[in-house]
Amino acid sequence: MLADDLAALDARDAFDGATLARARLRELPSYRARNLLRWFLRQHDCRPPSSSRMAEMLAQLIEAAPDARVQLMHDGAVIGIHSDRIAVHAAAPPAFDRAWHGEASLDLPHGRLDFTPHAGAGLRVADDPASRWSVRLRQGGERLTLDPSRPRRMLKSLLQEAGMPNWERDALPLVFCGDALAAVPGIGVDAAYRADARAVGLDVTWHAH
């Protein structure tokens, strides 16, 4: 189709196979920007929205501030912005509180959490087998001590510094011992729950669906 050929041309150097640069939409005439956004949504198996909905979505995506939290629901997916690029992603799962009893893998509603032995590093769990371990989503206000010589840090700040998009932060499973945050996949293990050089700990790895 001619419209698809035009969109592919407009997407050159702006589409990386997953996300689309917002700057390209700003540069184009409105009819070509709508055509490009429609093409981009199809790359993610999303049906095109109505003309009025497309105009509304385009306006929000173009005009949003760089740090705005954009969440546009469409065709079972969510359209958001990160680092000035447009992304299509799954909605965050509903809150859960899953007990963990030391299994090597824990299946969650939106992925799998793996616990892999690692000598001299990772999560220490052997000291108190009666401890209640659980996995749940971030609720806000969590803190983590990665460096025992420095103050505890807000988890939100650590995730932002890691460059993690807000939708990934919302869906990231956290490991708790009782009410204490013990480990965050991709970020680290709290110093109070970290295996020392003489012990075998567990690396915690998240695999989203």
Side-chain angles (χ1 to χ4, degrees):
M1 293 175 58
L2 183 59
D4 285 345
D5 291 343
L6 179 60
L9 181 64
D10 287 336
R12 188 177 300 170
D13 300 326
F15 179 60
D16 61 6
T19 66
L20 181 69
R22 280 206 298 166
R24 182 57 49 85
L25 293 178
R26 297 191 190 100
E27 297 166 355
L28 294 171
S30 59
Y31 75 95
R32 286 174 61 176
R34 290 192 299 271
N35 184 58
L36 176 56
L37 182 56
R38 188 178 297 110
W39 175 89
F40 171 71
L41 292 175
R42 283 204 304 272
Q43 307 313 302
H44 291 277
D45 298 320
C46 291
R47 292 173 294 183
S50 66
S51 297
S52 58
R53 177 61 173 157
M54 173 62 74
E56 177 186 340
M57 292 168 61
L58 183 62
Q60 291 189 54
L61 291 170
I62 288 178
E63 297 169 7
D67 58 350
R69 187 174 176 123
V70 175
Q71 292 183 307
L72 302 177
M73 303 296 298
H74 176 66
D75 200 23
V78 183
I79 303 165
I81 296 172
H82 179 68
S83 296
D84 214 30
R85 300 188 68 86
I86 301 168
V88 177
H89 59 89
F96 60 83
D97 190 339
R98 182 71 58 83
W100 176 57
H101 304 289
E103 302 94 326
S105 293
L106 192 64
D107 288 325
L108 298 175
H110 58 314
R112 187 184 79 247
L113 199 60
D114 288 342
F115 299 86
T116 308
H118 187 160
L123 180 66
R124 186 187 73 246
V125 297
D127 288 355
D128 185 5
S131 295
R132 178 184 180 274
W133 293 90
S134 63
V135 175
R136 51 187 187 264
L137 298 177
R138 185 168 65 99
Q139 297 181 335
E142 295 88 356
R143 291 176 178 270
L144 196 69
T145 302
L146 295 178
D147 183 346
S149 67
R150 303 186 64 183
R152 291 173 68 78
R153 297 282 311 281
M154 291 291 296
L155 177 58
K156 178 180 179 180
S157 298
L158 293 171
L159 295 174
Q160 289 174 335
E161 290 173 8
M164 188 175 294
N166 59 65
W167 55 88
E168 292 184 9
R169 302 197 298 262
D170 291 343
L172 189 65
L174 312 179
V175 181
F176 288 82
C177 183
D179 291 327
L181 178 59
V184 180
I187 299 298
V189 177
D190 190 276
Y193 297 94
R194 192 178 302 151
D196 62 30
R198 298 165 295 176
V200 176
L202 297 172
D203 286 337
V204 185
T205 309
W206 171 234
H207 306 278
H209 287 330

